[in-house]
Amino acid sequence: MPSTRDIRRRIKSVKNTAQITKAMQMVAAAKMRKAQNAALLGRPYAELLNRILAEAAPRIAAFEHPLMEKRDVKKRAVILVTTDRGLCGALNSNLLREAAKLDKNSTVFITAGRKGAQFVFRTKRQLAAEFTYKDPPIFPEARVISKFAQDLFLKGEADSVDILFTNFISTLIQQPKMVPLLPIGKIEAVTVGVNAAAENLQPGAVRTDIFEFEPDEKTVLSALLPHSLNFRIHQILFEARASEHSSRMVAMKNATDNAKQLIKDLTLEYNKLRQSNITKELLEIATAQMAVG
């Protein structure tokens, strides 16, 4: 049975841990708000970019681009977007569990984040390149990752490129998601969704915004396709950061709550043991007094 001194030391240790996790929770909460805002602010630009591409594509008969070339998938490249640090709950483990399902022999990884690179080394998989990205991510970092993936595809070293990342849904929900990057599929017009009533359009109707292209649609489309890939990866990095900080904030809050509950349990155990010792001492004193007479 532990002594009262041992219990006091453990209570002090747990209190110190609770202070650390509380501080980490506050820091993660502040970063989470910034990351969430950045991720949400990038989505309207992505929609507008897709609308421009969808407007230009139908005007060009049989438009072809090297990044749109479809071929039999013998070698697959996957951009694995993870975090650099841990203490963010099951975020990385859920993501890496999906990565572990991919075939070792036919899949080559491009990692963004140290946890992904460690996973590839640990499982002895093929690593094409390792990248890091800041907090918040900057566009040149996304452009470098995108350029490397495009070069792999254009050189024939990979027949397709996908991105595996943690998609930010809400503060409590982040889900692993795999999205195709290359080859670029058919460009389709954006359809009206939940905002149809506000814009006096029928749900499911195709947007008919008119764009004027200079010098011509083909030149604009050829320039926008690589840029759209760069921005897509940039947006995914924002989504990954928002997921990371949200998951870390929740994990640290749970750790702090568990530490407080453990302190209560240890304090109760300490009081019971202390009361037991006092009662034992009183019984010894009473017995000795009766013996003396």
Side-chain angles (χ1 to χ4, degrees), residues 61-89:
F63 174 75
E64 295 182 359
H65 193 278
L67 297 176
M68 301 177 71
E69 178 187 356
K70 294 184 179 180
R71 44 186 189 254
D72 295 335
V73 181
K74 298 179 181 178
K75 197 72 172 179
R76 180 186 190 187
V78 174
I79 302 175
L80 181 59
V81 183
T82 59
T83 67
D84 290 330
R85 298 180 297 142
L87 297 177
C88 50

Side-chain angles (χ1 to χ4, degrees), residues 93-264:
S93 59
N94 291 338
L95 185 66
L96 297 179
R97 190 179 298 115
E98 296 298 321
K101 298 177 182 178
L102 302 174
D103 183 38
K104 273 188 177 183
N105 300 322
S106 61
T107 305
V108 59
F109 285 92
I110 304 168
T111 62
R114 294 193 187 99
K115 292 296 182 180
Q118 292 171 2
F119 163 79
V120 174
F121 284 124
R122 186 174 62 252
T123 57
K124 298 180 180 180
R125 296 172 183 266
Q126 302 177 60
L127 180 64
E130 177 184 354
F131 296 95
T132 59
Y133 57 102
K134 297 180 181 179
D135 187 12
I138 58 178
F139 190 74
E141 296 170 333
R143 188 169 54 225
V144 170
I145 299 173
S146 176
K147 183 66 167 57
F148 185 86
Q150 292 176 43
D151 289 342
L152 278 183
F153 182 79
L154 294 175
K155 292 177 182 178
E157 298 178 13
D159 300 312
S160 69
V161 180
D162 300 319
I163 308 177
L164 180 59
F165 68 105
T166 304
N167 187 35
F168 172 75
I169 298 176
S170 67
T171 303
L172 299 177
I173 303 176
Q174 304 89 34
Q175 294 179 346
K177 186 176 182 180
M178 177 86 78
V179 296
L181 183 70
L182 293 170
I184 299 175
K186 182 181 178 182
I187 302 172
E188 298 179 351
V190 179
T191 56
V192 178
V194 295
N195 295 325
E199 299 182 11
N200 297 321
L201 295 172
Q202 294 298 321
V206 177
R207 303 189 69 108
T208 58
D209 304 68
I210 303 298
F211 294 93
E212 294 183 1
F213 295 92
E214 289 290 344
D216 56 70
E217 289 88 343
K218 185 174 182 179
T219 304
V220 172
L221 197 58
S222 299
L224 279 182
L225 285 180
H227 175 71
S228 67
L229 297 178
N230 298 342
F231 178 77
R232 191 173 192 182
I233 293 180
H234 191 218
Q235 179 65 23
I236 284 175
L237 295 181
F238 274 121
E239 300 281 345
R241 281 300 188 201
S243 299
E244 174 188 356
H245 294 311
S246 299
S247 182
R248 181 171 289 115
M249 190 273 291
V250 173
M252 291 300 100
K253 183 180 185 303
N254 292 336
T256 303
D257 293 341
N258 291 337
K260 290 180 179 179
Q261 183 61 44
L262 183 57
I263 290 172
K264 289 182 180 179

